[in-house]
Amino acid sequence: MEKYNIATAVAEMYNISRVDHMIVHRIDYATSGLLVFARHEKALVELHKQFREKKRLYKRYTAVVKGILPTLEGEIDLPIGRDPSRGPPFFMIHVEEGKRSMTHWTVVKHGVDKTYVHLYPLSGRTHQLRLHMAAIGHPILGDYFYAPDDAYAAAPRLMLHAESLGLVHPVSREDMIFRALCPLKQTV
């Protein structure tokens, strides 16, 4: 029997028999924010193509990270691969065998020993934002997987939110932007 979650609820709402035939954009269980579901197979194929090609796709996440970032913006270009010592679901920065991964970040607001940032994943690797921020010494607060104990304990949840997503409608070809306003800024 399949677990009941938001995907199964949406599938029931639109009478879709297989959940895997509708999920386009998903987030880690601890991340809040936007999800994208396709309502039919043709839309699923087209949206998956957009996510693969990343031509007109726009994604912005918000996060609260440990420490004060040294500049107001930057780019992280570090390859990501599976972590053989910890196994699934863990990943790591893996220079030799990892897949190229890029993240652009901008500072929105500084707090006391923490920073509220916008993160723009230019590639779409599992745990990319979490790994990249930890790799530059500014882990996302509340991150159970990759933050040191003090950064994990500094927040009641993972302070990562999928806030904005832009794509082309799979049928009308209209540019669309979706937003899920983020409550994290209030914590900085």
Side-chain angles (χ1 to χ4, degrees):
M1 178 159 167
E2 195 166 357
K3 280 186 179 179
Y4 195 80
N5 54 39
I6 194 160
T8 54
V10 171
E12 282 180 10
M13 188 180 343
Y14 290 102
N15 199 28
I16 297 169
S17 61
R18 291 187 51 189
V19 172
D20 61 323
H21 282 208
M22 58 179 261
I23 297 173
V24 178
H25 177 255
R26 59 187 175 85
I27 52 181
D28 293 340
Y29 76 96
T31 304
S32 58
L34 291 166
L35 303 169
V36 178
F37 299 108
R39 290 176 58 186
H40 52 78
E41 193 78 27
K42 183 179 176 185
L44 180 71
V45 170
E46 173 59 30
L47 290 168
H48 275 170
K49 180 180 174 188
Q50 287 182 45
F51 274 79
R52 244 187 348 270
E53 294 176 355
K54 297 171 184 61
K55 287 181 182 167
R56 291 169 62 187
L57 188 68
Y58 168 83
K59 292 192 279 187
R60 182 175 82 192
Y61 288 72
T62 56
V64 179
V65 300
K66 180 182 177 181
I68 305 299
L69 288 154
T71 60
L72 293 179
E73 67 179 297
E75 198 162 271
I76 306 164
D77 185 357
L78 293 170
I80 294 173
R82 293 203 180 274
D83 185 339
S85 65
R86 293 167 73 187
F90 296 98
F91 289 80
M92 63 185 281
I93 302 301
H94 204 298
V95 177
E96 296 83 28
E97 297 178 26
K99 293 181 180 178
R100 186 163 190 211
S101 306
M102 293 185 68
T103 301
H104 181 79
W105 56 266
T106 58
V107 170
V108 177
K109 181 181 176 185
H110 287 110
V112 177
D113 198 33
K114 58 186 172 181
T115 305
Y116 179 72
V117 294
H118 285 159
L119 303 173
Y120 305 89
L122 304 177
S123 45
R125 308 284 176 235
T126 301
H127 296 175
Q128 174 179 326
L129 302 175
R130 298 162 77 166
L131 279 164
H132 276 177
M133 295 314 292
I136 65 166
H138 297 279
I140 298 172
L141 299 183
D143 187 349
Y144 175 75
F145 285 169
Y146 305 108
D149 290 345
D150 63 328
Y152 168 64
R157 56 163 282 211
L158 178 65
M159 301 299 273
L160 180 62
H161 181 80
E163 184 178 60
S164 299
L165 181 71
L167 50 82
V168 178
H169 190 280
V171 177
S172 72
R173 309 306 301 159
E174 177 184 356
D175 286 332
M176 306 192 76
I177 295 181
F178 301 93
R179 290 186 179 87
L181 296 180
C182 179
L184 302 180
K185 190 174 183 180
Q186 300 165 4
T187 66
V188 178

